[in-house]
Amino acid sequence: MTTIRHIDRVLLPVPDARLAAEWYASEFEFQIARRGSKEIDLKIHDGETWLTLTEPEEREPFRPQLHLDAEGHVPCFNFYTHWVDLHGEWLKSRGIRTTETMRTPYMNVCEMADPFGNVVGICHEKEHSLFYTPSPRPLPPMFHRILAVFLPVKDLEASIRWYSDVLGFQLHNHWGQGADLMIGEGETIVTMICMDEGKHRQAVQAMNGRAYYSLQSSDIREAYRQICGKGVAAGPCRNRDGIQLFDVTSPEGLTIRISEKEMISVG
């Protein structure tokens, strides 16, 4: 799948995209990159993967995006920060609820809740980590990019094969109960977390058929042709605010958005 370049967006449901964009821009200095009819894209510092705030469709109730696994502290995605302390005290001073920081030899992580009930991870990778990003000193702003999108999987080996064969992901790190995969030269990774059947079912049901990340294709028609040619059922190509996109569903029930490459001015 040479047409799939990288993860271009993580998708976060909000009841009002304009108000949510104002909050994220004011608290974290995210920049508005694009306004759609029900979506607003935000650029995170110099990161290539954007945060897309998306409103529910008509007559569809708003449901915040929670953990994929609350007990295991697995969010849908996380922000990367150069700051070792994850800005815990500052977030607390702003009334932003966070979990206790979990420290490992490779990273410090926690989760925060935005005013709309969404759970988002925060991560600082240490020097021993495969995904450490060197910095001469802590740099503003708070968050610098999207580090990882997390996928709940039941069968890790079968999932690695499917995402590699169908979408062109590349296995980068395998630690037994999970794996990190790369997408082209993209900076945002996919981290698969192996779950038992009950937790996996809950994670998939919580998504309710909604994609929470988007893959960018350099040729949307060729991507559609290749995926269908592999016997994978793809939803119809559709236009959303001038962008061509379609959805596919993994064998374990997660919805994935694939969208065309576009030119966007930030400001």
Side-chain angles (χ1 to χ4, degrees), residues 182-238:
M182 311 291 288
I183 305 163
E185 298 298 322
E187 66 183 13
T188 300
I189 64 171
V190 164
T191 296
M192 293 182 176
I193 304 293
C194 198
M195 299 181 181
D196 65 35
E197 186 170 352
K199 288 182 179 179
H200 182 270
R201 181 173 58 253
Q202 291 174 2
V204 173
Q205 288 176 345
M207 290 299 104
N208 196 32
R210 184 184 73 240
Y212 60 92
Y213 69 102
S214 171
L215 301 172
Q216 186 182 95
S217 172
S218 58
D219 187 334
I220 193 75
R221 293 177 179 81
E222 179 62 15
Y224 192 87
R225 186 192 68 78
Q226 289 183 4
I227 288 173
C228 291
K230 292 179 180 291
V232 177
C237 274
R238 62 191 190 278

Side-chain angles (χ1 to χ4, degrees), residues 3-21:
T3 66
I4 302 296
R5 298 303 188 193
H6 60 268
I7 295 177
D8 62 350
R9 292 172 172 85
V10 291
L11 311 172
L12 197 66
V14 293
D16 186 311
R18 181 184 62 82
L19 291 178

Side-chain angles (χ1 to χ4, degrees), residues 6-11 42-52 77 79 144-149 186-189 213-214:
H6 60 268
I7 295 177
D8 62 350
R9 292 172 172 85
V10 291
L11 311 172
L42 299 177
K43 184 172 174 59
I44 302 168
H45 195 43
D46 293 326
E48 70 179 3
T49 302
W50 293 337
L51 175 67
T52 296
F77 67 90
F79 294 125
H144 300 88
R145 59 188 173 91
I146 302 291
L147 173 61
V149 168
E187 66 183 13
T188 300
I189 64 171
Y213 69 102
S214 171

Side-chain angles (χ1 to χ4, degrees), residues 40-219:
I40 294 180
D41 293 325
L42 299 177
K43 184 172 174 59
I44 302 168
H45 195 43
D46 293 326
E48 70 179 3
T49 302
W50 293 337
L51 175 67
T52 296
L53 306 171
T54 179
E55 296 177 5
E57 298 295 336
E58 296 295 333
R59 301 186 183 85
E60 180 182 308
F62 165 67
R63 294 186 180 91
Q65 188 163 278
L66 304 177
H67 292 90
L68 294 167
D69 176 10
E71 184 180 340
H73 298 284
V74 181
C76 287
F77 67 90
N78 61 10
F79 294 125
Y80 180 84
T81 179
H82 288 297
W83 295 75
V84 177
D85 68 356
L86 310 180
H87 297 278
E89 290 303 316
W90 187 90
L91 290 166
K92 183 178 179 180
S93 74
R94 299 293 296 171
I96 299 171
R97 182 167 52 88
T98 63
T99 60
E100 291 293 324
T101 298
M102 181 174 68
R103 295 174 172 85
T104 77
Y106 301 102
M107 67 189 75
N108 292 342
V109 296
C110 72
E111 296 95 44
M112 74 172 190
D114 72 10
F116 319 103
N118 294 300
V119 172
V120 179
I122 304 172
C123 180
H124 170 78
E125 297 279 333
K126 298 179 181 178
E127 192 170 355
H128 303 298
S129 168
L130 291 172
F131 304 105
Y132 169 67
T133 303
S135 171
R137 62 189 182 281
L139 298 173
M142 292 180 61
F143 303 133
H144 300 88
R145 59 188 173 91
I146 302 291
L147 173 61
V149 168
F150 295 90
L151 303 187
V153 300
K154 289 186 297 184
D155 187 326
L156 181 59
E157 302 308 321
S159 294
I160 291 171
R161 287 194 299 272
W162 188 85
Y163 282 88
S164 299
D165 293 345
V166 174
L167 300 176
F169 290 15
Q170 301 158 5
L171 179 63
H172 185 70
N173 180 39
H174 193 307
W175 68 87
Q177 288 302 304
D180 299 312
L181 295 94
M182 311 291 288
I183 305 163
E185 298 298 322
E187 66 183 13
T188 300
I189 64 171
V190 164
T191 296
M192 293 182 176
I193 304 293
C194 198
M195 299 181 181
D196 65 35
E197 186 170 352
K199 288 182 179 179
H200 182 270
R201 181 173 58 253
Q202 291 174 2
V204 173
Q205 288 176 345
M207 290 299 104
N208 196 32
R210 184 184 73 240
Y212 60 92
Y213 69 102
S214 171
L215 301 172
Q216 186 182 95
S217 172
S218 58
D219 187 334

